[in-house]
């Protein structure tokens, strides 16, 4: 029997804590979809490759960062999360010392930059603000719900953050 098959991707959320501030590393996409928008380093899993290896490979290809340990945030498979078609991603995170990481935009990433991240919870929404060197990104998400025991969010709007990466960011780093 022939079954439809999704494309598989892997994304890497690098973050740093400094005193009471939280930072996340994003890349500026150099190609469509979402060209010039910010996203996690990541990309398609190659034939015969594990999602873990793909996450590390994409991080190295797009930022030059290598040799990190990381953990799974979750699998994100909502319909429409990628305009190229049915795409499922395995998202990983790694806490790092941002001053020890020299990330540069490489391959299909035009830039790599640290953004200071703040979360603001109000009523039924969660707002994200990411402040970079020259721009501010925002997103508004629904309050969390549980899916398979994991905290998930629905995106209400995102400005400058590609795909569903605002939702993944909240799942990876937001704690009440």
């Amino acid at each position: 029997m022939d079954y439809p098959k999704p494309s598989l991707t892997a994304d890497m959320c690098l973050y740093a804590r400094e005193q009471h501030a939280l930072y996340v590393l994003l890349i500026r996409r150099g190609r469509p979809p979402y060209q010039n928008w910010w996203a996690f380093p990541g990309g398609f899993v190659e034939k015969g490759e594990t999602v873990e290896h793909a996450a590390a490979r994409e991080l190295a290809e797009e930022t030059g960062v290598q040799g990190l340990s990381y953990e799974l945030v979750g699998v994100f498979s909502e319909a429409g999360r990628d305009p190229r078609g049915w795409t499922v991603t395995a998202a990983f995170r790694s806490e790092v010392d941002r001053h020890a990481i020299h990330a540069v935009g490489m391959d299909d990433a035009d830039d790599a930059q640290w953004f200071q991240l703040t979360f603001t919870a109000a009523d039924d929404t969660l707002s994200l603000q990411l402040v970079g060197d020259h721009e501010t990104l925002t997103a508004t998400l629904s309050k969390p719900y549980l899916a398979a025991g994991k905290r998930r969010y629905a995106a209400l709007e995102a400005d400058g953050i590609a795909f569903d990466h605002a939702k993944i960011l909240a799942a990876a780093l937001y704690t009440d």
Side-chain angles (χ1 to χ4, degrees):
M1 183 170 246
D2 194 22
Y3 295 98
K5 296 171 183 62
S7 294
L8 183 59
T9 63
D11 293 303
M12 184 72 79
C13 172
L14 264 60
Y15 67 100
R17 298 179 195 277
E18 290 179 12
Q19 297 171 343
H20 298 292
L22 184 62
Y23 296 87
V24 64
L25 180 68
L26 298 177
I27 57 108
R28 183 186 299 274
R29 292 184 49 80
R31 297 182 189 154
Y34 297 107
Q35 187 170 3
N36 296 320
W37 286 44
W38 294 90
F40 294 127
F44 289 96
V45 177
E46 295 177 354
K47 186 175 181 176
E49 186 177 45
T50 67
V51 291
E52 295 85 358
H53 183 263
R57 175 184 51 77
E58 286 288 342
L59 178 66
E61 286 177 1
E62 293 182 344
T63 68
V65 176
Q66 300 181 61
L68 301 178
S69 61
Y70 46 90
E71 64 182 347
L72 181 67
V73 172
V75 174
F76 296 81
S77 58
E78 186 174 292
R81 63 170 303 277
D82 188 323
R84 294 170 289 193
W86 184 20
T87 305
V88 174
T89 197
F92 297 89
R93 70 179 180 181
S94 180
E95 185 170 2
V96 299
D97 173 355
R98 76 181 179 114
H99 300 290
I101 300 292
H102 179 69
V104 294
M106 299 169 28
D107 191 35
D108 57 350
D110 284 344
D111 192 9
Q113 188 178 132
W114 288 99
F115 286 79
Q116 186 173 356
L117 170 64
T118 56
F119 293 103
T120 306
D123 297 327
D124 293 332
T125 61
L126 177 64
S127 297
L128 287 70
Q129 183 178 52
L130 295 100
V131 178
D133 291 341
H134 303 291
E135 62 189 301
T136 298
L137 313 175
T138 59
T140 303
L141 309 174
S142 69
K143 284 281 186 128
Y145 61 91
L146 290 180
K150 301 279 187 177
R151 184 189 310 231
R152 295 291 185 257
Y153 300 83
L156 302 175
E157 63 181 70
D159 181 23
I161 306 169
F163 304 103
D164 58 350
H165 290 189
K167 292 169 36 176
I168 295 171
L169 184 56
L173 300 179
Y174 180 67
T175 57
D176 299 300

